[in-house]
Every structure is written in C-alpha cells, then in structure tokens.
C-alpha cells in the first residue's frame, strides 16, 4: 500500500511537471537601443548661465534572457552596456553661447522586469514591462569649458578663480570670468560619483515572429534613477559652497527605443499554434 501511494505521488508530480514545462517558454536574445538622455539637477537647471541641450546616446549592446509562464506573464533579466548623460550650453548675460558643460556617464545595467503579454497567437503581439534595475558605473566625467565672458551665477555658488563679481538685487551674482579650457570638474576616478545606482524601468513593446524559433522585439522604453548620481563627498562640497554649483538632487533618466532578436527554445507562439482554433470553437 505504501509503495502504491509513493508511485501515485510520483505520477502526479511528473504529470504536473509536464504541464508546467509545456506552458513555460525560455528565450535568449541580443538587443540595442537609442534614445534621449537627461540629467535632472535643480542646481544646474536653476542656474542662469546654463541652457540644456537635447542629448542622444546609444545603448550599443545588451543580452536578454527570459521565461514566459504561459501566454500572459513572464520575467526577463537583461545585461546592458548603456551611455547616459546630457550636454548644457553656457551663456553670457547677452544670452550668447560662450561654452559648454558635458556630463558623460557609462553604465552596465541589470534590469529585472515583469512582462505582461497579449495572450493571442498572432504573429504580432503587444506587451508591457515593469521592474527595477541596478546600474554599475563604469566611467563618468563632468567637464566644462568657456571663453572669457560675463556670466550670471546663482546665489550661494562660488565664483571661478579670478572672477570679479557684482551681486544683483535678485541675489544672483554677475561676474566677469576668464576663459576656462576644457576641464574635468568631476570624475568617477576621483570618487565624485556613486558606483551603483537604482532605477525603475517601464516599457511598451511589440513582438514580431520571424520564424519557428526567432522573433524580433521593439520597445518604447524609459528608466529613471532613484538615487543621486554623485558621491556623498561631492554633495558635501556643493552644500558647503565650494563649487560653482548650488545643491539640488541630481538624477539621470532615458526615454528611447530598444530593438532585439530573440531565440525561443521551444517555438514562437504563432508558429506553434498555427491553424489552431479558438477554444470556443473546439468540440
């Protein structure tokens, strides 16, 4: 009797595993992306001498691995080499561009996303992805340069060496500054940036079946940094008015397109269910 119970239990487990395996699809892919990247920093955006410039960057290569639990839900893990940052123009009191500031960031990103899918069997299907991301900083620079000019600095900011300034009624300072050659004012090598950041990621996408085992994906994708990019040392220096910036939380984010080709180890959905009738019409 005991042997019969064990045999029955093993039979039930094997049957359940077979059903689960039949519903689970594994896929592996390569991706690339391109989009607008931004640096949100109140200390820069509120400074009269800075004007933001639309900046676009590649995320040249990524690896995507995922599992779909049936037709509606799945999980994906990615590894992405990504470029972020933004450029700013430096303007004088006549609104003329006299220089620029470039914030350049390179990350290795690890997103983990929940994947909510259209349950149909057509060759083109929609999906929505939501999750979190850990980013490891690989390199970062914040550099600027400008010609000799008269610029406006916000209240609380230190003036460049040798600058002669006059305080205005609005609290800002109008200063004559000497030319500044391209200079790196912050670098990850000097410990000015955090090594790890955390982001929230969301994406709307379409999958296009190409063959029995291949599909192409395209996504409108965005991610937002939940942590300040700079180190505690740098933030303390800004708060103590040791830089030409004033303190404001800084975060980077990106909005763009990601495309990829994926291999499905079982079969792409439209090919697997090709010619299958909807459940309501089966007898």
């Amino acid at each position: 009797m005991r042997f019969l119970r064990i045999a029955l239990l093993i039979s039930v487990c094997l049957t359940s595993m077979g059903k689960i395996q039949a519903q689970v699809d594994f896929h592996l892919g390569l991706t690339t992306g391109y989009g607008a990247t931004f640096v949100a920093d109140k200390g820069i955006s509120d400074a009269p001498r800075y004007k933001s410039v639309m900046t676009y960057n590649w995320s040249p290569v990524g690896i995507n691995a995922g599992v779909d639990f049936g037709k509606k839900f799945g999980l994906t893990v990615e590894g992405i080499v990504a470029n972020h940052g933004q450029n700013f123009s430096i303007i004088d009191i006549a609104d003329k561009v006299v220089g620029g500031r470039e914030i350049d960031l390179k990350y290795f990103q690890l997103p983990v996303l929940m994947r909510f899918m259209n349950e149909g069997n057509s060759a083109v299907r929609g999906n929505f992805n939501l999750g979190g991301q850990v980013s490891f900083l690989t390199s970062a620079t914040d550099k600027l340069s400008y010609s000799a000019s008269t610029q406006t600095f916000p209240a609380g900011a230190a003036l460049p060496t040798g600058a002669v300034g006059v305080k205005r009624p609005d609290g800002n300072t109008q200063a004559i500054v000497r030319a500044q050659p391209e200079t790196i004012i912050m670098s990850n090598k000097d410990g000015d940036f955090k090594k790890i950041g955390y982001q929230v990621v969301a994406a709307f996408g379409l999958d296009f079946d190409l063959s029995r085992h291949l599909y192409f994906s395209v996504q409108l994708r965005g991610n937002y940094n939940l942590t300040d990019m700079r180190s505690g040392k740098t933030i303390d220096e800004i708060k103590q008015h040791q830089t030409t910036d004033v303190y404001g939380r800084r975060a980077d984010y990106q909005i763009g397109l990601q495309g990829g080709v994926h291999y499905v180890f079982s079969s792409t959905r439209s090919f697997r269910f090709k010619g299958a009738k909807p459940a309501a019409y089966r007898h």
Side-chain angles (χ1 to χ4, degrees), residues 144-202:
L144 60 78
S145 63
Y146 50 80
S147 59
S149 52
T150 301
Q151 303 172 20
T152 303
F153 294 82
L159 297 180
T161 303
V164 179
V166 177
K167 198 166 186 178
R168 300 189 338 188
D170 61 5
N172 294 330
T173 299
Q174 189 171 295
I176 301 172
V177 296
R178 296 181 295 193
Q180 171 71 62
E182 186 172 272
T183 302
I184 295 176
I185 57 176
M186 283 196 286
S187 168
N188 63 316
K189 294 181 180 179
D190 297 326
D192 298 321
F193 291 88
K194 286 181 179 175
K195 296 180 179 178
I196 301 177
Y198 303 93
Q199 294 84 34
V200 60
V201 182

Side-chain angles (χ1 to χ4, degrees), residues 25-82:
D25 289 328
F26 296 93
H27 50 88
L28 185 66
L30 291 175
T31 64
T32 188
Y34 185 74
T37 57
F38 305 87
V39 173
D41 185 339
K42 191 174 177 62
I44 293 178
S45 62
D46 286 358
R49 71 190 189 121
Y50 289 119
K51 184 175 288 186
S52 62
V53 177
M54 283 298 296
T55 306
Y56 300 90
N57 276 300
W58 282 103
S59 296
V61 64
I63 297 175
N64 176 299
V67 55
D68 294 341
F69 301 96
K71 295 183 179 181
K72 293 184 178 181
F73 179 75
L75 293 173
T76 60
V77 179
E78 297 178 85
I80 302 172
V81 176

Side-chain angles (χ1 to χ4, degrees), residues 71 115 117-127 204-211 214-219 268-271:
K71 295 183 179 181
R115 177 175 159 90
M117 300 171 289
N118 184 318
E119 64 175 330
N121 298 327
S122 65
V124 181
R125 300 175 303 277
N127 58 76
F204 293 93
L206 292 173
D207 295 336
F208 302 83
D209 287 352
L210 302 177
S211 69
L214 290 176
Y215 74 88
F216 173 76
S217 69
V218 61
Q219 291 183 348
T268 52
R269 194 184 302 177
S270 65
F271 280 82

